[in-house]
Amino acid sequence: GLFQLKTLEIEREIAPCVEFLCEEVGIYEEEIPRILELYPRLLGANITEMRGNLDYFESLEVSEDDMGSIFRAFPALLTMEISHMDEVVDFLKEAGVSNIGRFVTRLPPVLGYSVERDLVPKWNYLRKVRQYASFEISRFPAYFSYPLDRVIKCRYEYLHTRKHLPIQLIPLDEVLRYGDRDFAVNVAKDDDGSFYSAFVENRKKNQKQQSRKRRRKRQEKVHRKS
């Protein structure tokens, strides 16, 4: 009896959620188990609030055809705070992105990024190395998905300081979209990936040393004060 009651309770909770995901979001029924496993929070989420997120995506002019695939891949966006997504959209508008819907369709997780920690530092760096930064991010939204120090800065430093290549003339996506070895060969024009690999290792060592020095200086200051 108790088991049947529990089963009924679960079905009562799951049924409206499944119905919403299939009929309103456009997710296929056979994909539901995988999505709920990926993001179980959907089960307890408020359907009215999730509907609000759907409306929000519509207001950004994301096409209905794209919404199903966006939420299939990134179900967390159904429960993301609209106030947070608004901050990201405001930032993108200020950065010169005119077609927000297209940008979001090409990089949906951007709406979950931290403006302060992720987007602003990457944007500020891009403006240093590229003349038409707004055009570049509109053409290649995925820029914001790459780690700033480990990939973006590292590659630009290598091209500029070691290879003395005109970084302003190399398209942004070329610098970033390859793996390390292909970047070294195709973009930096090395024979293989060994020079770039050595550069990355040395850079890491130097950063560790600098970090240790800064820590020592801070400790010395504290000792002097005490």
Side-chain angles (χ1 to χ4, degrees):
L2 186 62
F3 177 73
Q4 275 180 317
L5 270 176
K6 283 274 179 222
T7 309
L8 280 171
E9 269 176 48
I10 291 166
E11 277 176 13
R12 251 202 316 271
E13 276 178 36
I14 290 177
C17 178
V18 170
E19 195 177 314
F20 167 74
L21 292 174
C22 292
E23 291 183 16
E24 295 184 46
V25 183
I27 290 169
Y28 303 122
E29 203 170 331
E30 59 268 23
E31 292 179 315
I32 298 287
R34 183 189 63 80
I35 286 163
L36 293 179
E37 199 178 328
L38 186 71
Y39 194 65
R41 268 188 62 189
L42 283 184
L43 274 179
N46 182 309
I47 287 172
T48 308
E49 283 173 16
M50 289 198 283
R51 206 168 271 138
N53 282 28
L54 278 186
D55 293 342
Y56 182 75
F57 272 74
E58 267 179 43
S59 76
L60 299 179
E61 295 182 357
V62 172
S63 82
E64 244 181 80
D65 291 345
D66 290 319
M67 275 202 225
S69 56
I70 287 172
F71 293 120
R72 267 201 296 279
F74 307 102
L77 290 172
L78 280 167
T79 59
M80 183 79 60
E81 292 279 341
I82 287 176
S83 59
H84 177 82
M85 294 193 282
D86 257 342
E87 276 179 42
V88 173
V89 168
D90 288 345
F91 164 81
L92 292 173
K93 283 177 180 170
E94 278 174 38
V97 176
S98 53
N99 191 334
I100 299 289
R102 186 164 179 268
F103 193 99
V104 165
T105 301
R106 292 175 67 195
L107 185 69
V110 73
L111 290 172
Y113 292 176
S114 161
V115 171
E116 205 179 309
R117 288 193 312 274
D118 277 329
L119 301 175
V120 169
K122 288 175 186 177
W123 172 240
N124 289 342
Y125 184 75
L126 185 64
R127 288 195 299 175
K128 283 183 195 168
V129 294
R130 303 295 301 172
Q131 201 174 347
Y132 303 108
S134 297
F135 169 74
E136 292 279 8
I137 57 164
S138 294
R139 208 174 68 87
F140 187 58
Y143 167 74
F144 286 116
S145 67
Y146 290 89
L148 178 58
D149 188 72
R150 188 167 56 80
V151 178
I152 300 170
K153 283 186 177 180
C154 190
R155 291 189 177 188
Y156 271 106
E157 281 170 25
Y158 184 69
L159 293 173
H160 183 59
T161 62
R162 292 297 160 91
K163 305 300 294 185
H164 308 293
L165 289 168
I167 52 174
Q168 292 281 1
L169 301 178
I170 305 169
L172 179 65
D173 60 329
E174 266 190 41
V175 176
L176 298 175
R177 65 190 162 96
Y178 293 112
D180 282 352
R181 191 191 173 281
D182 287 341
F183 157 75
V185 174
N186 296 327
V187 184
K189 307 301 178 196
D190 289 339
D191 292 331
D192 56 28
S194 57
F195 280 117
Y196 181 60
S197 185
F199 172 80
V200 172
E201 285 310 311
N202 281 332
R203 191 173 176 275
K204 272 189 212 158
K205 273 182 203 160
N206 290 338
Q207 283 177 331
K208 276 181 187 166
Q209 285 169 354
Q210 295 297 329
S211 166
R212 276 200 291 270
K213 276 183 191 170
R214 281 196 297 272
R215 218 170 27 244
R216 269 204 300 275
K217 276 185 182 171
R218 279 199 301 271
Q219 284 166 348
E220 283 166 14
K221 264 187 188 174
V222 171
H223 285 315
R224 276 204 296 273
K225 278 181 185 173
S226 57

